[in-house]
Amino acid sequence: MDVQFEVIVIGAGPAGMAAALYASRAGLKVALIEKAAPGGKLVKTNEIQNYPGITQIGGADLAYQMYEHSTAFGAEYLYGDVVEVRDGAMKQVICADGTIYQAPYVIVATGTVERMLQIPHEEEMIGHGVSYCAVCDGAFFKDKVVTVIGGGNAALEEALYLAKFARKIYIVIRRDVFRAEAKIQNDIEKEAKIQVITKHVPKEIVVKDNKVVQLVLEHVDSKESMILDTDGIFPYIGSDPAIGFLKELPINAEKGYLIVDEHMETSVPGIYAVGDIRKKELRQVVTAVNDGAIAAQHIFHQYMNQ
């Protein structure tokens, strides 16, 4: 089945939802395609405290408000796992179930996917003690011991969230200093449940009776091993752009991140990239919605000038 639109937005994170909002409010026929719940990483974020005009809000709450707004002017929210995009006067967006959506303009807003630790027993224990979403799974670790891997904002924010449930939280970082903002570091220092382990990296997950029971660490300098008793492991070591479905297109990219112009248009005319998937300095909700608005507005003007 082929379905035609004027704009297709792939990905319903903040950038995609902002694009759908601006394009549909301008009167364009818009499809917003997503393979999971709307919100992207917002759904996995406990609290947002740096979105202008909103002092503090839960990530899932903000995601729901954005979703309601993004579809308020007629944008169609469609479930779809996009596996390929084909170029042409009418771009073809092909989903895993065989559905093909067509439009002259496509906005890619698929964000990034979390990196794995690449250590023994990690993949097999996902959902059985290994999780990449503290907001999703934190409640399963009530009164247990968990270990967060990573020293950036995301890692520390999730460690603070886990402190609501777990009796103890280890934070393991490769370096001897955090990369996170000063305020978050201060919050970590005030939380008695959290213990920071510096200059160590994870080497192996120890499993017993199909449960995570320990994490083997290695000191980055001495190479000595250290064993933590832990019930859960939450890796937050970065992410990579989700661009596998674009592999057949000659889009300019740097380390997988799509390069765009000031209108958010890629090197393939008619295909735009917004949010975390594009090459940029700052990846935040506020910059994502900025990207989506710019792309949608430029597409609107393209139609006006035809």
Side-chain angles (χ1 to χ4, degrees), residues 45-67:
T45 304
N46 179 32
E47 290 183 350
I48 303 292
Q49 297 181 340
N50 57 0
Y51 192 71
I54 302 177
T55 304
Q56 182 172 315
I57 188 172
D61 293 331
L62 182 57
Y64 181 75
Q65 291 182 23
M66 284 188 174
Y67 164 71

Side-chain angles (χ1 to χ4, degrees), residues 7-26 28 30-33 38-40 42 51 62-63 65-73 75 77 107-109 264 274-275 280 284-300:
V7 184
I8 295 173
V9 182
I10 307 172
M17 290 191 288
L21 166 62
Y22 271 75
S24 60
R25 190 171 181 272
L28 301 179
V30 180
L32 178 57
I33 303 176
L42 275 180
Y51 192 71
L62 182 57
Q65 291 182 23
M66 284 188 174
Y67 164 71
E68 290 278 285
H69 202 179
S70 70
T71 55
F73 297 96
Y77 187 87
I107 300 175
V108 179
M264 305 297 148
V274 297
K280 61 196 300 187
Q284 293 282 289
V285 178
V286 68
T287 62
V289 297
N290 166 79
D291 293 351
I294 289 172
Q297 193 68 11
H298 186 254
I299 291 171
F300 170 68

Side-chain angles (χ1 to χ4, degrees), residues 7-294:
V7 184
I8 295 173
V9 182
I10 307 172
M17 290 191 288
L21 166 62
Y22 271 75
S24 60
R25 190 171 181 272
L28 301 179
K29 185 179 181 182
V30 180
L32 178 57
I33 303 176
E34 172 59 59
K35 66 179 180 179
K41 285 186 171 57
L42 275 180
V43 179
K44 302 179 181 180
T45 304
N46 179 32
E47 290 183 350
I48 303 292
Q49 297 181 340
N50 57 0
Y51 192 71
I54 302 177
T55 304
Q56 182 172 315
I57 188 172
D61 293 331
L62 182 57
Y64 181 75
Q65 291 182 23
M66 284 188 174
Y67 164 71
E68 290 278 285
H69 202 179
S70 70
T71 55
F73 297 96
E76 292 188 43
Y77 187 87
L78 303 170
Y79 171 79
D81 182 6
V82 176
V83 295
E84 185 180 358
V85 175
R86 294 177 183 170
D87 193 17
M90 289 292 285
K91 280 40 172 178
Q92 292 187 325
V93 176
I94 303 167
C95 295
D97 65 359
T99 303
I100 300 175
Y101 300 101
Q102 298 188 89
Y105 298 97
V106 172
I107 300 175
V108 179
T110 45
T112 58
V113 292
E114 292 79 7
R115 291 176 188 157
M116 297 181 67
L117 298 170
Q118 304 295 337
I119 60 175
H121 306 301
E122 176 186 13
E123 189 168 359
E124 70 190 70
M125 296 310 295
I126 295 174
H128 298 278
V130 175
S131 172
Y132 304 87
C133 178
V135 175
C136 307
D137 300 327
F140 295 118
F141 295 90
K142 184 175 178 60
D143 298 326
K144 295 185 177 182
V145 178
V146 298
T147 303
V148 174
I149 312 297
N153 283 352
L156 270 59
E157 287 170 351
E158 299 310 281
L160 289 168
Y161 178 77
L162 287 166
K164 297 179 179 181
F165 306 99
R167 74 172 187 271
K168 185 174 184 61
I169 302 99
Y170 294 107
I171 299 178
V172 177
I173 58 175
R174 177 186 294 270
R175 303 192 300 172
D176 54 3
V177 293
F178 288 120
R179 294 179 288 107
E181 296 171 0
K183 179 187 181 303
I184 303 174
Q185 294 189 44
N186 291 336
D187 291 341
I188 290 291
E189 291 176 3
K190 296 174 185 177
E191 178 51 67
K193 291 183 178 181
I194 293 176
Q195 177 181 339
V196 180
I197 299 174
T198 62
K199 302 196 77 172
H200 279 79
V201 293
K203 299 301 289 185
E204 182 181 358
I205 296 169
V206 180
V207 178
K208 183 178 180 181
D209 298 328
N210 201 36
K211 293 181 181 179
V212 171
V213 292
Q214 291 178 326
L215 177 64
V216 180
L217 304 177
E218 182 181 86
H219 194 281
V220 295
D221 294 329
S222 69
K223 304 304 179 183
E224 293 181 359
S225 293
M226 175 181 181
I227 297 178
L228 292 181
D229 292 328
T230 187
D231 302 296
I233 299 168
F234 291 80
Y236 288 95
I237 58 171
S239 53
D240 296 300
I243 59 169
F245 61 95
L246 300 173
K247 59 183 179 296
E248 300 300 325
L249 295 178
I251 296 180
N252 291 338
E254 183 176 311
K255 296 181 179 178
Y257 291 96
L258 305 183
I259 297 173
V260 300
D261 62 17
E262 67 271 21
H263 307 300
M264 305 297 148
E265 193 168 15
T266 69
S267 54
V268 176
I271 296 182
Y272 296 69
V274 297
D276 288 0
I277 199 171
R278 80 173 184 90
K279 182 179 180 293
K280 61 196 300 187
E281 290 297 321
L282 182 64
R283 292 182 172 86
Q284 293 282 289
V285 178
V286 68
T287 62
V289 297
N290 166 79
D291 293 351
I294 289 172

